[in-house]
Amino acid sequence: MRALDLAARIGPYFTWQQGPFPPHFSDISDLSDARILEGRVAAATRVLQRLGASAGLEERVVASTVFLGLAARLVSPPLGAAVIGGAVPVADPARMRWQAVESGPIPIVYDDLGASEADDVTAIVDVITTLVAPILDGFRTRFVLSPQVLWGNVASALGGAHTMIAKAVPEHAARSAFLLESLLAREPLAGMATLHHPADGHWFLVRRNCCLYYRIPGGGTCGDCVLVPAEDRRRQWQAILGR
């Protein structure tokens, strides 16, 4: 799909690779299975331990962070495809595969995904409800995480994707912000975050709940963190965008 090819130029989180499916890749629907999720969280815990966070790691906190990364892998390509390529792929789990890796964005391969005939916002909501929601339910059930935290993570993943688009292709920043703001006004993301647009010309997301990352030893806070004072958050986003 050409729109996905264009989105992939932004970076690895925006990349879904055109098939055929390589050996040892798994159905994307497996990511809602409790055993698979336990494996992803265990892998992330090992990485954090190697980085020095060997004490005080809470499983549910790591799980929230892992889910945020998975959500980013599933929402960034459709948002990028809509913004840069003018089309959103139809969310079809039967035509998508993934591969487990110890760290970094998981590889995702698709086979013959067509373009949605819905408007871009509705099409991205379809991606979220079809691909992301079952995984979210798996994390909620297995790790006893609040739905607000998890849906906030989806909003955060979209906010992060918007920031990368704005930095990589600033001529598309306004279109990306429009789609993001529209998504934040629709279920299931309504009330999860707010997109701000100050006078100096860049947009930044502010969550209304917390992803729990600050509870990882040495983790700090994210650029969209509800716990960060507004002016500090603004400076963080300026640094991210290089302005």
Side-chain angles (χ1 to χ4, degrees), residues 14 40 50 54 60 66 84 110 113 124 132 136-137 139 146 157 165 168 173 179 186 191-192 210 225 235:
F14 289 79
R40 301 312 304 149
R50 288 199 296 268
S54 57
R60 63 191 298 272
V66 170
I84 302 173
Y110 70 91
L113 289 180
I124 295 172
V132 181
L136 183 151
D137 286 341
F139 274 92
S146 162
I165 290 169
L179 290 176
R186 294 268 297 268
M192 295 298 108
C210 180
C225 184
R235 283 195 292 267

Side-chain angles (χ1 to χ4, degrees), residues 69-131:
L70 291 175
R73 283 297 287 123
L74 293 172
V75 301
S76 298
L79 180 63
V83 171
I84 302 173
V88 178
V90 173
D92 186 350
R95 296 181 179 275
M96 301 179 67
R97 301 286 189 275
W98 71 287
Q99 183 183 42
V101 291
E102 187 76 3
S103 62
I106 61 170
I108 293 178
V109 176
Y110 70 91
D111 177 36
D112 195 26
L113 289 180
S116 173
E117 295 182 0
D119 65 88
D120 288 346
V121 174
T122 300
I124 295 172
V125 169
D126 287 344
V127 172
I128 292 170
T129 56
T130 302
L131 297 182

